[in-house]
Amino acid sequence: MKHCKILFVCLGNICRSPSAEAVMNGVIEDAGLEEFIMCDSAGTYGYHAGQNADARMQSHAIKRGYDLTSISRKIIKDDFKDFDYIIAMDNSNYDDLISFAQIAEDRAKIYKIIDFCSTMSPSEVPDPYYGGDAGFEEVLDILEDATNGLLNHLKKGVDNE
Ligand code: 4NP
């Protein structure tokens, strides 16, 4: 398997993308592929830069065994050089990434996380920030489905041939 670097992106990098990073790291560990696949996360909006993941998101995640350790940061232009996959959590993150990308080669790295879902069919990972407990659980449900699909995609090497 080729080495691969994945950047998960949401708005604040304190709820959805840190969760995507932790859930995907669990899937990678279960598959014994830590040597090949590296994950990170970032936000399109820098307001929460330097902060830990949202406490509500952390408490929902830890109940499923995911420890959210990442510190919020804003995406930078060099991320398009450093990462192979830049994966948006919702449609507005996707549009912002498409606008931020400088060249066609960068734009070709941008995906929506829901494209990798195999059992659920959500239109995006909804922003849980202003909602209640159900929203945080829904984020984790979608991410568990999508990260399994993403791993299968990487194992097939569809984009590596
Ligand atoms: P995230 O959630 O994009 O999943 O990290 C949000 C975090 C912060 C805000 C909105 C969404 N905010 O408005 O500060």
Side-chain angles (χ1 to χ4, degrees):
M1 187 178 197
K2 281 195 177 174
H3 286 258
C4 173
K5 289 178 74 176
I6 303 167
L7 184 68
F8 296 103
V9 180
C10 61
L11 179 68
N13 191 213
I14 53 169
C15 295
R16 293 164 294 174
S17 60
S19 301
E21 182 186 344
V23 175
M24 187 65 188
N25 277 332
V27 167
I28 293 166
E29 259 178 61
D30 289 347
L33 293 171
E34 301 96 316
E35 191 191 327
F36 298 100
I37 309 170
M38 178 270 191
C39 300
D40 191 9
S41 63
T44 57
Y45 172 65
Y47 187 72
H48 295 279
Q51 295 179 9
N52 292 313
D54 182 277
R56 298 162 299 168
M57 190 75 250
Q58 285 198 50
S59 77
H60 284 271
I62 203 76
K63 284 187 200 136
R64 299 194 192 196
Y66 308 116
D67 193 7
L68 305 190
T69 55
S70 72
I71 303 294
S72 176
R73 72 171 180 90
K74 190 176 180 186
I75 189 166
I76 56 170
K77 293 202 163 80
D78 274 354
D79 287 324
F80 285 95
K81 282 197 214 103
D82 292 343
F83 289 88
D84 305 296
Y85 286 79
I86 313 265
I87 304 185
M89 297 296 115
D90 70 22
N91 295 322
S92 134
N93 309 146
Y94 179 84
D95 293 344
D96 289 343
L97 288 169
I98 292 287
S99 306
F100 188 52
Q102 304 291 295
I103 55 173
E105 196 183 339
D106 294 348
R107 281 190 290 277
K109 296 181 175 182
I110 305 171
Y111 295 79
K112 295 178 184 180
I113 187 89
I114 52 121
D115 293 341
F116 300 103
C117 282
S118 60
T119 61
M120 300 174 73
S121 41
S123 57
E124 60 182 1
V125 183
D127 183 347
Y129 193 72
Y130 293 105
D133 289 344
F136 292 96
E137 290 298 316
E138 185 186 11
V139 166
L140 294 166
D141 288 341
I142 298 171
L143 292 177
E144 286 178 343
D145 183 24
T147 52
N148 275 296
L150 175 58
L151 184 76
N152 286 333
H153 170 86
L154 297 174
K155 284 205 282 198
K156 276 190 227 146
V158 172
D159 286 349
N160 294 333
E161 287 169 352

